[in-house]
């Protein structure tokens, strides 16, 4: 991926444009990849990526759709980040193999052969790029961020906000999915209408239908009066359905009808009534895997995912930490409070960048609030790892004891990568161009590594 800015830039041999680090990029160039079906019912089919992620399966919304009955609806997905491709199986019933080896999650080499049921596919990295626009702003609604992932998100959200399309927001717990929904609402033509939130995981199952669609008096025990549901209450505005993956199978067809026909039926009523509402749904689950496991209806997924938005976790945008910290400190009323200035020092911000923030933006805000309450920086939670690895300040590298192997491995990998970058820069006299050459990568890629680890 390379960047293009509004001022000084230079052209590469492949025709992409690299930005000068002195100016904000206006777009990034994501390398294309090619998936060629070699055998199976779809032999001869070819899919060329138009973004960083491609889902493969038999569902009509899969980017590479196959007719092989031994392939799951959403079988696996290929993702490209920093010119490194990875494949993840989505809970398929027959599994996925790379070069004959069964995998759940693995790095893809150029020319790798993927096996899905009776279908074999060749993966090839391309030489051209897809252009992805970036917002020139560091804010969108209530969201803040200056990293490339967030500015790409802001540009996408700006286009989405102008329409009435249903949106599915995916992201880990604490990444700010409700803030995305509210920001879309604030920037949309429906901004003067209501913004109604329903947490599908917090409302008891037996009450959720009434919460969504309302009920008539006497329709069930305790229904002493007629009540409108959230879809009616959000008329003219936006309804945000948080944790949509928790919606029970018996309610899913009722929500599907409401989305398709824009009409609802209150509990205990015999008739339908029209509703004018935009729906934004969010989940921390992978709904494609839920579809494969038959815990989520494929037709409802298709109706919700008219536009899909992925909210990156905080560990993928550590360069946003200073901006986020200032944003939260201001919102918490830090001005003039004892100890507040200690939370703005370079040393404190560097300490924030060394933590992975598994609870994401929510964890960061809560941590800053605790620091303000105690009027000083407090240790970031985490248990020491046994071994000799140390952070840059000499303290032990920390991983919570209950982390899964995959996440622990990522922490160690990030630690090694950051130490490598620090030592390489030191050896090259802090010359980024020379360091990139010594590392064997191009300068834009090296800059992204530095930004990811908070070194620039």
């Amino acid at each position: 991926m390379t960047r293009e800015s509004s001022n000084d830039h230079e052209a590469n041999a492949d025709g992409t444009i690299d930005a000068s680090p002195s100016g904000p990029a206006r777009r990034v160039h994501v390398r294309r990849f090619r998936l060629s079906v070699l055998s199976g019912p779809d032999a001869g089919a070819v899919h060329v990526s138009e973004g960083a992620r491609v889902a493969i399966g038999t569902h009509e919304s899969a980017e590479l759709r196959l007719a092989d009955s031994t392939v799951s609806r959403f079988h696996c997905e290929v993702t490209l980040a920093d010119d490194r491709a990875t494949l993840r199986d989505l809970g398929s019933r027959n599994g996925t193999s790379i070069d004959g080896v069964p995998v759940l999650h693995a790095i893809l080499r150029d020319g790798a052969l993927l096996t899905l049921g009776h279908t074999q596919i060749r993966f090839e990295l391309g030489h051209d790029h897809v252009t992805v626009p970036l917002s020139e702003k560091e804010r969108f609604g209530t969201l803040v961020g200056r990293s490339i992932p967030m500015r790409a998100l802001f540009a996408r959200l700006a286009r989405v906000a102008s329409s009435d399309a249903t949106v599915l927001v995916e992201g880990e717990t604490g990444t700010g999915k409700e803030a995305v929904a509210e920001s879309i609402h604030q920037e949309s033509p429906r901004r003067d209408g209501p913004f109604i939130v329903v947490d599908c995981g917090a409302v008891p199952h037996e009450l959720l239908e009434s919460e969504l669609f309302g009920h008539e008096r006497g329709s069930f025990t305790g229904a002493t009066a007629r009540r409108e549901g959230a879809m009616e209450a959000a008329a003219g505005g936006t309804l945000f359905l948080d944790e949509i993956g928790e919606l029970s199978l018996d309610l899913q067809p009722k929500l599907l009808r409401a989305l398709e026909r824009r009409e609802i039926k209150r509990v205990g009523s015999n008739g339908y009534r029209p509703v004018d509402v935009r729906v934004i749904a969010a989940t921390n689950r992978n709904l494609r895997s839920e579809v494969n496991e038959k815990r989520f209806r494929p037709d409802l997924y298709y109706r919700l995912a008219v536009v899909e938005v992925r909210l990156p976790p905080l560990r993928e945008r550590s360069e946003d930490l200073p901006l986020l910290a200032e944003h939260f400190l201001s919102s918490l009323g830090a001005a003039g409070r004892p100890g507040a200035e200690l939370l703005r020092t370079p040393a404190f911000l560097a300490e924030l960048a060394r933590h992975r923030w598994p609870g994401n933006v929510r964890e960061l805000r809560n941590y800053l609030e605790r620091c303000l309450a105690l009027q000083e920086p407090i240790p970031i939670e985490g248990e020491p790892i046994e071994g000799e690895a140390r952070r840059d300040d000499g303290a032990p590298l920390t991983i919570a004891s209950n982390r899964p192997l995959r996440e622990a491995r990522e922490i160690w990998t990030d630690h090694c990568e950051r130490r490598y970058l620090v030592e390489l820069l030191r050896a090259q006299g802090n010359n980024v161009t020379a360091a990139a050459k010594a590392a064997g990568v191009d300068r834009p890629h090296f800059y992204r590594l530095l930004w990811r680890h908070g070194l620039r």
Side-chain angles (χ1 to χ4, degrees):
M1 182 185 292
T2 57
R3 306 182 305 138
E4 182 178 325
S5 74
S6 56
N7 42 31
D8 299 335
H9 51 263
E10 58 188 36
N12 290 330
D14 64 359
T16 61
I17 303 295
D18 293 344
S20 162
S22 62
R26 294 182 303 183
R27 56 185 62 88
V28 290
H29 303 288
V30 180
R31 194 172 180 182
R32 290 186 192 270
F33 56 90
R34 179 185 180 97
L35 297 168
S36 304
V37 182
L38 304 182
S39 63
D42 303 279
V46 174
H47 178 82
V48 179
S49 65
E50 292 296 333
R53 190 182 303 258
V54 169
I56 307 173
T58 59
H59 193 266
E60 57 187 311
S61 67
E63 285 82 6
L64 175 51
R65 187 181 182 188
L66 302 174
D68 187 346
S69 62
T70 62
V71 171
S72 297
R73 289 186 178 95
F74 295 105
H75 200 100
C76 63
E77 64 182 12
V78 177
T79 304
L80 190 67
D82 291 330
D83 287 345
R84 186 179 75 170
T86 57
L87 179 141
R88 181 160 60 104
D89 185 88
L90 296 174
S92 62
R93 62 181 182 273
N94 290 324
T96 306
S97 297
I98 300 177
D99 296 328
V101 179
V103 299
L104 292 176
H105 188 271
I107 296 174
L108 280 173
R109 67 172 181 85
D110 189 15
L113 295 179
L114 319 181
T115 302
L116 295 69
H118 296 319
T119 296
Q120 190 172 64
I121 301 170
R122 177 185 289 119
F123 166 82
E124 297 171 296
L125 284 170
H127 297 292
D128 58 338
H129 295 70
V130 180
T131 299
V132 178
L134 300 179
S135 172
E136 296 182 1
K137 299 179 181 178
E138 295 182 348
R139 293 178 179 269
F140 180 84
T142 62
L143 301 168
V144 297
R146 61 169 61 103
S147 64
I148 286 179
M150 288 305 288
R151 288 171 51 220
L153 176 65
F154 293 169
R156 182 172 176 81
L157 294 181
R159 298 193 300 273
V160 170
S162 63
S163 74
D164 260 352
T166 305
V167 180
L168 177 63
V169 184
E170 296 180 303
E172 296 178 6
T173 298
T175 47
K177 297 184 288 293
E178 183 174 340
V180 170
E182 188 171 5
S183 297
I184 292 174
H185 173 73
Q186 290 179 359
E187 300 295 327
S188 77
R190 292 177 173 266
R191 65 179 66 87
D192 295 328
F195 178 74
I196 304 295
V197 179
V198 175
D199 187 336
C200 299
V203 180
H205 164 68
E206 62 274 13
L207 299 179
L208 188 52
E209 182 177 2
S210 172
E211 182 72 20
L212 289 174
F213 307 123
H215 63 255
E216 298 292 342
R217 180 181 177 182
S219 57
F220 54 86
T221 302
T224 57
R226 174 183 293 177
R227 179 180 180 275
E228 70 174 14
M231 293 200 79
E232 286 185 84
T238 303
L239 173 64
F240 175 54
L241 300 177
D242 200 7
E243 301 304 340
I244 191 66
E246 304 297 328
L247 194 67
S248 62
L249 281 169
D250 61 316
L251 276 182
Q252 289 179 24
K254 298 176 181 179
L255 177 59
L256 176 63
R257 180 187 176 95
L259 292 174
E260 288 183 334
R261 302 195 179 186
R262 288 294 189 260
E263 60 182 21
I264 57 99
K265 183 171 72 171
R266 290 177 177 174
V267 177
S269 172
N270 293 322
Y272 287 87
R273 61 185 64 218
V275 289
D276 171 26
V277 63
R278 180 186 196 164
V279 174
I280 301 176
T283 180
N284 60 6
R285 298 187 181 188
N286 188 313
L287 287 191
R288 291 171 171 174
S289 296
E290 296 294 299
V291 168
N292 288 339
E293 296 295 329
K294 298 183 178 179
R295 291 191 292 262
F296 204 85
R297 290 176 62 108
D299 48 1
L300 178 57
Y301 170 81
Y302 184 67
R303 201 69 187 84
L304 289 170
V306 176
V307 177
E308 292 180 276
V309 172
R310 177 184 177 269
L311 191 53
L314 192 50
R315 64 181 175 273
E316 292 182 7
R317 53 183 188 108
S318 58
E319 60 266 41
D320 288 336
L321 280 167
L323 190 64
L324 283 167
E326 184 58 40
H327 172 71
F328 289 138
L329 289 172
S330 297
S331 68
L332 291 167
R337 293 178 61 174
E341 290 310 310
L342 295 175
L343 307 182
R344 292 185 167 99
T345 64
F348 178 75
L349 295 175
E351 182 63 25
L352 295 183
R354 294 188 183 104
H355 189 53
R356 287 183 61 81
W357 303 107
N360 293 294
V361 175
R362 182 184 298 135
E363 181 187 2
L364 174 65
R365 187 188 189 281
N366 292 343
Y367 169 73
L368 293 172
E369 189 170 11
R370 289 197 301 273
C371 290
L372 278 176
L374 297 174
Q375 301 181 11
E376 63 178 358
I378 59 177
I380 300 175
E381 295 177 1
E383 298 179 8
I385 296 177
E386 297 296 329
E388 298 181 353
R390 316 290 288 183
R391 300 185 317 205
D392 293 341
D393 61 357
L397 180 65
T398 59
I399 300 179
S401 59
N402 61 347
R403 294 189 190 279
L405 173 62
R406 177 179 167 188
E407 187 171 339
R409 183 187 295 118
E410 289 178 354
I411 293 175
W412 281 94
T413 300
D414 283 357
H415 168 74
C416 293
E417 189 173 87
R418 190 177 195 280
R419 291 298 304 167
Y420 170 78
L421 294 171
V422 169
E423 295 299 328
L424 183 59
L425 281 172
R426 183 178 294 125
Q428 299 297 329
N430 212 36
N431 185 313
V432 173
T433 300
K437 184 176 180 181
V441 299
D442 60 31
R443 189 164 56 90
H445 177 61
F446 195 78
Y447 264 113
R448 286 194 300 277
L449 292 175
L450 297 179
W451 288 324
R452 179 193 301 166
H453 291 284
L455 299 175
R456 279 295 185 276

